[in-house]
Amino acid sequence: MKVLSQVSFFICGALLLYMTGVRDDLVGVRYRFKFLIQFIVASLLPASGLWLKNLNGLFGIYELAPWVGIPITVLLIVLIINAMNFIDGIDGLAGGLSLVSLIILSTLFAFSHMWIYAVISLATAGVLIPFLYYNMYGKAERQKKLFMGDTGSLTLGYLLAFLCLSLSANIPIVIPVLSKVPVYIVAFSTLFVPMFDVIRVMIVRMAHHKNPFLPDKNHIHHMLLAKGYNVRKAMGTVILMAYLYGILNILALSRGLDINLIAFANLLIWITFSFWLSKGHKTQAEATATITATTSPQPQFQEAKAVKMKEKRA
């Protein structure tokens, strides 16, 4: 009954977020309204009893009171939703990251005998495989190319947040011996790349006195393209990094390393990678030309959306 309650609340939130994404892809939605919807759907999961109750010693914090754990959980869900939305800038990237995360999560669910969540993870992974084929190799001129849009990225982000929280909150119940192990580090590890990226981008925007919620060309895939990578190589680099985060954190956790040491290592890897990305870029003109050429794969879609926006304003 507990699982049924959590899944039911998730389905309600996913439907609302999905419809918001459809509207945004067709006619456009202001970012303030999208954030309002995201906070509403994020609040549904704690309402079902699904929220972070223990940090297992991270920063010296263990048990979390509801008035602390619930707001942290809501903010974390909103962060993951936007991280997946913002990382969806080149073909295959958001879908590939989601696929890696779902495969690792489904494996952990299976080992923990949490079969309902394992089935949800594998079913979503199964849907993503044909999508990725037509997203990466489909021909738009033959009308055989698929795009994710906000509809897909928002819904996938919410699904991944739900699965990660489910793994973090329910494993101690299923396997009591793991009650003192920071399993949530492994659960969220495959999402560290888009999460760290969106935090870095928003900090950079605010440092330059820009609106942190308006798009720019400063995401990790944009920086890789500006460094001279093609779309496939940039996508593969980001996905490989996410996969390595997951594997390294599983190994570190299995060796019994301190959670603060693991968190510091994760952050250090990201800072080192970001510093490397910021060096050796092309000239600004070359970078802009490369990014524009490689991150605009859906001109018909964008043109139709622009027309809809003009009609709406008229």
Side-chain angles (χ1 to χ4, degrees):
M1 291 303 296
K2 180 179 180 180
V3 172
L4 179 62
S5 171
Q6 292 174 358
V7 172
S8 299
F9 273 80
F10 160 73
I11 291 174
C12 292
L15 255 171
L16 180 57
L17 200 59
Y18 178 85
M19 290 187 291
T20 303
V22 170
R23 178 176 175 81
D24 188 34
D25 287 334
L26 293 177
V27 298
V29 174
R30 293 183 180 275
Y31 71 85
R32 291 186 182 88
F33 179 76
K34 279 201 291 188
F35 265 100
L36 175 62
I37 297 297
Q38 289 170 14
F39 274 101
I40 291 174
V41 301
S43 302
L44 291 178
L45 298 187
S48 70
L50 190 61
W51 50 279
L52 287 176
K53 300 179 176 67
N54 196 326
L55 293 186
N56 297 100
L58 183 63
F59 309 124
I61 302 172
Y62 288 88
E63 293 289 337
L64 291 175
W67 62 272
V68 176
I70 291 176
I72 289 176
T73 302
V74 170
L75 290 174
L76 183 61
I77 295 169
V78 172
L79 173 63
I80 294 173
I81 292 172
N82 283 283
M84 294 308 299
N85 188 25
F86 288 2
I87 205 72
D88 183 31
I90 57 177
D91 287 348
L93 184 53
L97 284 171
S98 300
L99 186 61
V100 169
S101 182
L102 289 165
I103 291 173
I104 292 178
L105 285 170
S106 63
T107 304
L108 294 172
F109 281 130
F111 276 112
S112 306
H113 307 292
M114 300 169 66
W115 302 113
I116 294 178
Y117 299 105
V119 168
I120 294 174
S121 303
L122 287 173
T124 309
V127 171
L128 279 175
I129 291 172
F131 164 79
L132 284 170
Y133 174 79
Y134 286 103
N135 179 232
M136 296 170 60
Y137 302 107
K139 303 295 183 182
E141 60 271 14
R142 298 181 182 177
Q143 298 183 349
K144 290 185 178 181
K145 190 172 183 68
L146 293 177
F147 299 107
M148 183 171 289
D150 281 11
T151 307
S153 60
L154 293 175
T155 309
L156 270 178
Y158 189 54
L159 172 66
L160 291 171
F162 167 72
L163 292 173
C164 290
L165 284 171
S166 298
L167 183 66
S168 305
N170 292 325
I171 269 191
I173 300 173
V174 180
I175 307 177
V177 73
L178 295 179
S179 60
K180 295 184 179 180
V181 176
V183 181
Y184 63 88
I185 287 290
V186 177
F188 290 101
S189 59
T190 54
L191 301 177
F192 282 167
V193 171
M195 289 168 66
F196 286 161
D197 184 57
V198 74
I199 293 172
R200 178 190 60 80
V201 167
M202 295 184 76
I203 291 174
V204 169
R205 289 173 185 172
M206 289 187 290
H208 288 84
H209 308 290
K210 296 180 180 178
N211 190 326
F213 304 111
L214 294 182
D216 58 16
K217 301 291 184 182
N218 194 35
H219 290 284
I220 181 173
H221 48 281
H222 294 139
M223 296 176 73
L224 286 168
L225 292 172
K227 201 172 178 66
Y229 286 40
N230 59 35
V231 172
R232 295 285 185 270
K233 193 174 179 180
M235 179 199 70
T237 301
V238 178
I239 292 175
L240 178 62
M241 189 174 182
Y243 176 77
L244 291 176
Y245 260 127
I247 297 301
L248 290 175
N249 283 317
I250 290 174
L251 293 175
L253 193 61
S254 65
R255 294 297 180 93
L257 294 181
D258 182 74
I259 184 175
N260 291 289
L261 181 61
I262 296 174
F264 176 76
N266 280 274
L267 189 59
L268 183 62
I269 291 171
W270 175 255
I271 292 174
T272 304
F273 183 67
S274 298
F275 181 77
W276 172 77
L277 274 182
S278 65
K279 300 297 180 181
H281 279 183
K282 296 179 178 181
T283 65
Q284 186 63 36
E286 291 174 328
T288 302
T290 301
I291 293 171
T292 303
T294 54
T295 58
S296 302
Q298 39 186 326
Q300 301 95 336
F301 174 78
Q302 295 293 348
E303 182 180 351
K305 187 173 178 180
V307 171
K308 290 284 186 181
M309 289 292 289
K310 289 180 181 179
E311 292 175 351
K312 182 181 176 184
R313 284 194 291 268

